[in-house]
Amino acid sequence: MKRLWLASLLLTLPRLALAQEPSVPAPKRTATGRACGAHCGTERWAIKTLTDAQSAAAINSTPEQTSVSALVALPAPPRLPPDARIPPTETQQFTVQALLIAWKEESGPTGDRDFHLVLADPADRGKTMIAEIPSPTCANACASAEVNVFAAARQVLTNELGPAPGSGPIVLLDPPRKVEVTGVGFFDFDHKQSGLAPNCIELHPVLQITVADTEPGGAIALPSGVSHRCGSASAAGASRSRSRSRARRLPSPP
């Protein structure tokens, strides 16, 4: 009987010891951002969608009242870093009173789905610049702190103009619209974009747009023969297809 008890004890002790050993902790997972959206753009894409490391400075800046003419007169930086902003312009919001003279959505296999807007200075219609509104369905943009702002700005335009034209050349507005636009300063590369400023400055992304009225006098042609002095990069990445200078006219609403 004693032998039987000893044998039972010897079998039980290893189990007790095993049960008292600490459990192996689960492997730690690296925190990652929310994955969402389709791939849309490449060049300086995090900066365009306010998802870069310096985006808080731009988001929290107080908009500065200025004009298209003043922005296109700024000196273009010689180099455009792919993942960093160029202060003070690219960390600042600007508000301009402008004429919206043309627009389209950058669709197609190489488009980034932005609403591409051409803004003209009301006091000098020959001076134009681009403003862009990212699509909330795109990677980075859908994870941006400003994703709802992008959606709201796009909705303002579709309410006013109908669905954005997405194929072929950019569309001239007839009549143009008087708008107030607030967006973050941004320097782009020269891809022969329609309405590109001489220094390649843009409002990108647009954070707010208000349509005030229509501008009498019919469609305003895009300027031609503009010389561009834009920043460059050692490896700018594959060029993406953008709107060319050819344009078609969008008729007046009924």
Side-chain angles (χ1 to χ4, degrees), residues 2-93:
K2 187 175 181 180
R3 289 180 181 178
L4 189 59
W5 178 83
L6 285 172
S8 177
L9 181 62
L10 290 173
L11 288 171
T12 304
L13 283 174
R15 294 178 186 174
L16 291 172
L18 203 62
Q20 292 172 11
E21 288 182 0
S23 59
V24 177
K28 293 183 178 180
R29 297 183 181 274
T30 303
T32 57
R34 178 165 65 94
C36 62
H39 174 77
C40 295
T42 302
E43 290 176 350
R44 312 194 80 206
W45 187 244
I47 297 170
K48 292 175 180 178
T49 55
L50 292 175
T51 54
D52 61 293
Q54 298 169 293
S55 62
I59 292 171
N60 295 323
S61 66
T62 300
E64 176 184 318
Q65 292 284 341
T66 186
S67 66
V68 171
S69 292
L71 290 175
V72 303
L74 295 174
R79 293 286 182 271
L80 302 182
D83 301 311
R85 292 182 178 270
I86 302 168
T89 303
E90 292 191 336
T91 56
Q92 177 64 49
Q93 292 182 36

Side-chain angles (χ1 to χ4, degrees), residues 84-171:
R85 292 182 178 270
I86 302 168
T89 303
E90 292 191 336
T91 56
Q92 177 64 49
Q93 292 182 36
F94 298 95
T95 298
V96 298
Q97 310 294 322
L99 299 178
L100 175 59
I101 65 171
W103 81 314
K104 71 170 293 183
E105 183 175 28
E106 300 283 2
S107 60
T110 58
D112 61 12
R113 303 188 193 175
D114 284 358
F115 276 10
H116 176 100
L117 316 177
V118 180
L119 306 179
D121 193 313
D124 186 348
R125 297 178 176 187
K127 292 180 178 176
T128 64
M129 65 180 294
I130 292 168
E132 305 254 2
I133 314 176
S135 168
T137 65
C138 289
N140 284 52
C142 56
S144 173
E146 301 300 300
V147 61
N148 293 332
V149 171
F150 303 156
R154 290 166 74 100
Q155 190 64 53
V156 167
L157 289 177
T158 55
N159 288 346
E160 172 71 18
L161 304 172
S167 61
I170 198 164
V171 172

